[in-house]
Short mmCIF file of all heavy atoms in Angstrom, two decimals:
data_model
loop_
_atom_site.label_atom_id
_atom_site.label_comp_id
_atom_site.label_asym_id
_atom_site.label_seq_id
_atom_site.Cartn_x
_atom_site.Cartn_y
_atom_site.Cartn_z
N THR A 196 -163.22 353.16 -41.23
CA THR A 196 -164.04 352.13 -40.59
C THR A 196 -163.52 351.80 -39.19
O THR A 196 -164.30 351.63 -38.25
CB THR A 196 -164.05 350.86 -41.46
OG1 THR A 196 -164.53 351.19 -42.77
CG2 THR A 196 -164.93 349.80 -40.85
N LYS A 197 -162.20 351.74 -39.05
CA LYS A 197 -161.62 351.46 -37.73
C LYS A 197 -161.96 352.56 -36.75
O LYS A 197 -162.26 352.30 -35.57
CB LYS A 197 -160.11 351.30 -37.87
CG LYS A 197 -159.68 350.01 -38.55
CD LYS A 197 -158.16 349.92 -38.61
CE LYS A 197 -157.71 348.63 -39.28
NZ LYS A 197 -156.23 348.53 -39.36
N LYS A 198 -161.92 353.81 -37.19
CA LYS A 198 -162.24 354.93 -36.30
C LYS A 198 -163.70 354.89 -35.87
O LYS A 198 -164.03 355.15 -34.71
CB LYS A 198 -161.92 356.25 -36.98
CG LYS A 198 -160.44 356.55 -37.09
CD LYS A 198 -160.20 357.94 -37.64
CE LYS A 198 -158.72 358.25 -37.68
NZ LYS A 198 -158.45 359.63 -38.18
N ILE A 199 -164.58 354.56 -36.81
CA ILE A 199 -166.00 354.50 -36.46
C ILE A 199 -166.25 353.38 -35.45
O ILE A 199 -167.00 353.54 -34.49
CB ILE A 199 -166.84 354.29 -37.74
CG1 ILE A 199 -166.75 355.53 -38.63
CG2 ILE A 199 -168.28 353.98 -37.38
CD1 ILE A 199 -167.45 355.38 -39.97
N ARG A 200 -165.59 352.24 -35.64
CA ARG A 200 -165.76 351.13 -34.71
C ARG A 200 -165.21 351.46 -33.33
O ARG A 200 -165.80 351.12 -32.31
CB ARG A 200 -165.06 349.87 -35.26
CG ARG A 200 -165.78 349.26 -36.47
CD ARG A 200 -165.01 348.07 -36.98
NE ARG A 200 -165.69 347.45 -38.11
CZ ARG A 200 -165.20 346.41 -38.81
NH1 ARG A 200 -164.02 345.90 -38.46
NH2 ARG A 200 -165.88 345.92 -39.82
N SER A 201 -164.07 352.13 -33.32
CA SER A 201 -163.49 352.51 -32.02
C SER A 201 -164.37 353.51 -31.29
O SER A 201 -164.53 353.45 -30.07
CB SER A 201 -162.09 353.09 -32.23
OG SER A 201 -162.14 354.28 -32.99
N ARG A 202 -165.00 354.44 -32.04
CA ARG A 202 -165.90 355.41 -31.41
C ARG A 202 -167.14 354.73 -30.86
O ARG A 202 -167.60 355.03 -29.77
CB ARG A 202 -166.29 356.49 -32.41
CG ARG A 202 -165.18 357.48 -32.72
CD ARG A 202 -165.60 358.43 -33.82
NE ARG A 202 -164.55 359.41 -34.11
CZ ARG A 202 -164.62 360.27 -35.11
NH1 ARG A 202 -165.69 360.29 -35.91
NH2 ARG A 202 -163.64 361.12 -35.33
N SER A 203 -167.67 353.80 -31.64
CA SER A 203 -168.88 353.11 -31.19
C SER A 203 -168.60 352.22 -29.99
O SER A 203 -169.37 352.14 -29.05
CB SER A 203 -169.46 352.28 -32.33
OG SER A 203 -168.52 351.29 -32.75
N SER A 204 -167.42 351.57 -29.98
CA SER A 204 -167.06 350.73 -28.83
C SER A 204 -166.79 351.56 -27.60
O SER A 204 -166.99 351.13 -26.47
CB SER A 204 -165.83 349.89 -29.17
OG SER A 204 -164.72 350.72 -29.44
N PHE A 205 -166.34 352.81 -27.79
CA PHE A 205 -166.09 353.69 -26.66
C PHE A 205 -167.38 354.26 -26.10
O PHE A 205 -167.54 354.43 -24.89
CB PHE A 205 -165.15 354.83 -27.08
CG PHE A 205 -164.89 355.82 -26.00
CD1 PHE A 205 -164.01 355.54 -24.96
CD2 PHE A 205 -165.55 357.06 -26.00
CE1 PHE A 205 -163.78 356.46 -23.97
CE2 PHE A 205 -165.32 357.96 -25.00
CZ PHE A 205 -164.43 357.66 -23.99
N SER A 206 -168.33 354.59 -26.97
CA SER A 206 -169.57 355.20 -26.52
C SER A 206 -170.54 354.18 -25.94
O SER A 206 -171.38 354.51 -25.11
CB SER A 206 -170.25 355.95 -27.67
OG SER A 206 -170.54 355.04 -28.73
N THR A 207 -170.44 352.89 -26.33
CA THR A 207 -171.38 351.87 -25.83
C THR A 207 -171.25 351.64 -24.34
O THR A 207 -172.24 351.67 -23.61
CB THR A 207 -171.16 350.56 -26.60
OG1 THR A 207 -171.38 350.80 -27.98
CG2 THR A 207 -172.09 349.49 -26.09
N PRO A 208 -170.03 351.45 -23.77
CA PRO A 208 -169.96 351.29 -22.32
C PRO A 208 -170.43 352.50 -21.56
O PRO A 208 -171.08 352.38 -20.51
CB PRO A 208 -168.46 351.04 -22.08
CG PRO A 208 -167.93 350.56 -23.38
CD PRO A 208 -168.73 351.26 -24.42
N SER A 209 -170.15 353.72 -22.08
CA SER A 209 -170.60 354.93 -21.37
C SER A 209 -172.10 355.04 -21.38
O SER A 209 -172.72 355.47 -20.41
CB SER A 209 -169.97 356.16 -22.02
OG SER A 209 -170.37 356.26 -23.37
#
Side-chain angles (χ1 to χ4, degrees):
T196 303
K197 288 182 179 179
K198 286 186 177 181
I199 293 175
R200 289 178 179 176
S201 63
R202 287 175 179 173
S203 61
S204 62
F205 177 77
S206 60
T207 301
S209 61

